[in-house]
């Protein structure tokens, strides 16, 4: 995953579970000239991971819903949905606005956001991303069709969320 990322990982904020933060990960990210900062949220402190929890809604629940997907055969289709369709659509074509500042005047809070920009455009504007990576991103974006990606997401969701028809007869 790290080799596919167009930028260097500076820090990782994980959940408290040992499935997320373990000695293997700590060794992997700690033995570097510039180590990755690793931290984790405190148990029962829901606001420690507010951004991660927000992504559970936008990246998982909004797409797949709340029902339990127990069939292990669905894992391959779900992974394909995210890597081939959802990720390119959102990273190359769906702009988001970042909060720049909040001002409180009495009970009123004014929020100021930047111009909505796609994650790809943010990387292309970054001085920390080298020109070779920027060229690769531009080429990938040129090959994509957002309407085709959306149609593929719908088809894939149909296969994942459509319960199989089963006869009640033995």
């Amino acid at each position: 995953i790290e080799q596919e990322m167009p930028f260097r990982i500076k820090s990782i904020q994980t959940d408290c579970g040992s499935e997320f933060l373990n000695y293997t990960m700590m060794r992997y990210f700690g033995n570097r000239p510039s180590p990755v900062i690793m931290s984790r949220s405190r148990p029962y402190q829901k606001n420690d991971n507010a951004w991660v929890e927000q992504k559970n809604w936008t990246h998982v629940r909004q797409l797949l819903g709340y029902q339990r997907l127990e069939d292990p055969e669905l894992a391959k289709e779900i992974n394909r949905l995210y890597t081939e369709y959802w990720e390119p659509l959102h990273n190359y074509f769906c702009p988001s606005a970042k909060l720049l500042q909040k001002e409180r005047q009495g009970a009123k809070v004014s929020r100021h956001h930047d111009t909505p920009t796609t994650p790809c455009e943010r990387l292309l504007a970054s001085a920390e991303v080298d020109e070779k990576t920027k060229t690769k991103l531009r080429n990938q974006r040129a090959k994509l069709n957002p309407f085709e990606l959306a149609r593929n997401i719908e088809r894939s969701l149909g296969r994942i969320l459509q319960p199989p028809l089963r006869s009640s007869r033995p």
Side-chain angles (χ1 to χ4, degrees):
I1 292 172
E2 186 176 12
Q3 292 171 356
E4 293 293 319
M5 296 176 82
F7 48 84
R8 185 176 71 80
I9 298 174
K10 293 182 179 180
S11 69
I12 294 178
Q13 169 82 29
T14 67
D15 204 338
C16 290
S18 60
E19 68 273 18
F20 300 111
L21 185 61
N22 55 43
Y23 290 112
T24 304
M25 270 188 72
M26 291 172 71
R27 272 194 307 276
Y28 177 78
F29 285 118
N31 296 332
R32 299 171 177 224
S34 56
V36 173
I37 298 167
M38 298 185 71
S39 63
R40 62 186 193 179
S41 59
R42 299 167 294 172
Y44 311 109
Q45 302 294 317
K46 69 179 186 177
N47 286 338
D48 278 2
N49 252 350
W51 289 287
V52 173
E53 295 302 328
Q54 175 190 9
K55 297 305 179 194
N56 280 345
W57 165 246
T58 60
H59 291 51
V60 181
R61 300 295 176 216
Q62 199 172 20
L63 187 64
L64 297 172
Y66 284 92
Q67 70 271 22
R68 192 174 182 95
L69 302 172
E70 295 179 341
D71 186 359
E73 298 295 319
L74 293 177
K76 189 174 182 180
E77 184 66 32
I78 292 170
N79 288 336
R80 185 167 166 245
L81 166 68
Y82 279 105
T83 57
E84 293 181 22
Y85 310 131
W86 193 92
E87 180 265 329
L89 179 67
H90 282 78
N91 286 336
Y92 289 99
F93 300 107
C94 294
S96 61
K98 300 292 182 191
L99 180 65
L100 297 176
Q101 72 181 54
K102 289 196 293 191
E103 294 175 2
R104 178 177 286 278
Q105 294 176 343
K108 183 177 179 178
V109 176
S110 298
R111 291 174 177 83
H112 303 283
H113 296 83
D114 67 354
T115 305
T117 310
T118 66
C120 177
E121 290 166 343
R122 290 182 196 282
L123 287 172
L124 293 174
S126 173
E128 293 183 25
V129 178
D130 62 70
E131 199 54 45
K132 180 181 174 186
T133 303
K134 289 180 182 182
T135 302
K136 181 181 172 186
L137 289 169
R138 286 185 195 101
N139 292 338
Q140 286 175 333
R141 182 176 58 187
K143 294 176 187 175
L144 296 171
N145 178 339
F147 300 106
E148 186 62 31
L149 291 170
R151 281 190 291 271
N152 287 334
I153 288 172
E154 290 301 318
R155 273 190 229 117
S156 189
L157 283 173
R159 290 189 293 270
I160 294 167
L161 301 176
Q162 184 69 29
L165 297 175
R166 296 192 180 163
S167 174
S168 59
R169 289 186 255 164

